[in-house]
Amino acid sequence: MIRPIIVRVDAQAEIEAAAVWYEERRPGLGSEFMRAIEVALDAIAEVPESWPRWQAGFPYRKYVLRRFPFVVFFTAEGAGIQVVAFAHAKRRPGYWMRRSGQ
């Protein structure tokens, strides 16, 4: 069963900003980036438990994009999946923890 995905407002804002940044660098690259995000979300929705936990003791899992340096952090508890962050892999590790109440 594919579970519904809820993307937090702040996570949505950061991914949109990243898409604009890529698009400004090369026309069409922002669309390619968003397609990579869609592929990631589809994979997460299918089998969320197959992606590794971020750290022991935390409920977060991570999906690392292949082409772009981004990580999707999400929780998969209950009937749905919540995306907490689309984090750049080289910037401010764990900054999104403030969003989650941890």
Side-chain angles (χ1 to χ4, degrees), residues 49-84:
E49 291 81 14
S50 67
W51 307 106
R53 291 216 179 256
W54 175 59
Q55 288 183 358
F58 289 95
Y60 307 105
R61 294 184 179 275
K62 65 180 182 175
Y63 178 102
V64 179
L65 274 70
R66 291 184 183 182
R67 181 174 175 199
F68 297 94
F70 277 81
V71 179
V72 182
F73 289 101
F74 65 95
T75 60
E77 298 175 348
I81 297 164
Q82 184 179 88
V83 174
V84 178

